[in-house]
Amino acid sequence: MYTKPKKQEGAMKEIIEYLKEAISTSDDFLAMLQHDERFCWQADYPVAVVHHQSRIKDAGILSALKEKKMLDEKGFTPTSWSAQRIEEMKALAPNYVKTVTMLVHTGNEHAAFLFSQKHPGDYWKKVTDDGSFIATVEYSRFGPKTDMCQAETKLRNLMRSSKEVPSLKEIAYIWVAEAPAELELDRVLAHYYRKNWMMVVRKEKIVYIGWSERLGSVNMRHFVCPPKPKRSKENA
């Protein structure tokens, strides 16, 4: 059974209040978040990196990674990455690194990123929590042509991706969604986060904030917009 570390007690209230204040006062609220004195809001945080060269199908990318010594003699990527090296990996092979919009933690922004795999044949090495992780933050921006069901699909894809990383599944999850006033996301937020959501009116747009104190507790069995049943070949 998961037990929340003491370092997180009371942290979510502070984090949500700080996030709300940033959205209310700044057009570039993501940049403002990084000035927090208590928590580190680290942008574009890497949460998974390709595990082995057998998973890399692009010969040019594979050659570049070998040249940069990002693969060992057996073709495996490192388990420890410096900030500089992970940025090089993102530039060389962006499809082989997964990131989240931000990770909120209490550690050192310049500390190494540590990854591990569960099984020898895994596609990804996934980030490990050094004890400082508090919350994953994902940001989505929707235009006037987006409907509620498309927004729900986006949210579900983001949450599913993070749930596949064990260290993220066990910490808080925050979704920030900027949408035009006519796109009402109330049903989506209430469905997945119950009472843990709010809206901030910002000029002609609304910014929604929804959160769970543990991503793994978010129930994704049911939908606001159930997917359409697949047509059988007989009815096609």
Side-chain angles (χ1 to χ4, degrees):
M1 182 177 178
Y2 172 73
T3 303
K4 186 190 301 182
K6 291 184 178 180
K7 63 181 175 59
Q8 292 190 30
E9 291 181 0
M12 278 302 294
K13 182 177 180 180
E14 285 191 51
I15 287 170
I16 295 301
E17 285 301 317
Y18 188 75
L19 179 56
K20 177 184 176 183
E21 179 184 358
I23 292 170
S24 301
T25 58
S26 175
D27 289 325
D28 189 5
F29 68 90
L30 291 175
M32 180 178 172
L33 293 171
Q34 297 177 60
H35 297 291
D36 191 358
E37 294 183 356
R38 176 175 176 186
F39 305 109
C40 180
W41 300 68
Q42 195 162 346
D44 200 25
Y45 199 97
V47 296
V49 63
V50 67
H51 177 41
H52 188 261
Q53 66 181 20
S54 61
R55 301 295 187 171
I56 301 171
K57 305 306 180 184
D58 187 303
I61 289 177
L62 183 58
S63 176
L65 295 181
K66 286 181 177 179
E67 183 180 343
K68 292 287 186 178
K69 301 189 183 304
M70 292 184 181
L71 298 169
D72 65 18
E73 293 180 356
K74 294 183 179 180
F76 291 98
T77 54
T79 57
S80 178
W81 293 72
S82 67
Q84 179 181 345
R85 292 290 275 173
I86 204 72
E87 289 302 320
E88 290 177 6
M89 181 69 175
K90 289 179 192 176
L92 285 171
N95 292 334
Y96 297 102
V97 182
K98 284 186 179 183
T99 64
V100 294
T101 302
M102 282 188 165
L103 188 83
V104 186
H105 62 87
T106 57
N108 184 341
E109 185 174 1
H110 304 290
F113 302 103
L114 301 176
F115 300 91
S116 63
Q117 75 285 346
K118 188 173 183 179
H119 304 290
D122 284 353
Y123 190 106
W124 299 103
K125 280 186 174 81
K126 299 172 182 179
V127 72
T128 60
D129 183 358
D130 61 0
S132 69
F133 290 8
I134 297 176
T136 302
V137 181
E138 288 284 20
Y139 170 62
S140 302
R141 188 174 182 179
F142 300 115
K145 294 184 179 180
T146 305
D147 62 32
M148 181 183 68
C149 296
Q150 291 171 323
E152 181 189 24
T153 298
K154 177 68 174 179
L155 171 60
R156 287 182 64 89
N157 288 341
L158 289 170
M159 289 196 295
R160 186 181 296 110
S161 180
S162 283
K163 277 193 172 188
E164 291 172 354
V165 181
S167 60
L168 301 188
K169 188 177 180 180
E170 300 299 341
I171 63 173
Y173 186 90
I174 303 169
W175 186 48
V176 181
E178 182 178 334
E182 60 269 22
L183 177 58
E184 297 180 355
L185 297 181
D186 305 44
R187 284 182 62 194
V188 173
L189 274 294
H191 178 78
Y192 292 101
Y193 303 120
R194 300 185 181 275
K195 294 182 179 181
N196 290 336
W197 69 276
M198 66 176 67
M199 51 191 289
V200 180
V201 178
R202 185 79 175 141
K203 298 179 180 179
E204 296 180 354
K205 297 193 175 183
I206 296 173
V207 180
Y208 294 86
I209 309 171
W211 67 94
S212 170
E213 295 206 12
R214 179 176 175 265
L215 175 59
S217 67
V218 177
N219 187 342
M220 295 179 63
R221 291 195 181 97
H222 306 289
F223 296 74
V224 175
C225 301
K228 296 178 181 179
K230 294 181 180 179
R231 296 175 65 187
S232 66
K233 292 182 179 179
E234 295 179 358
N235 297 326

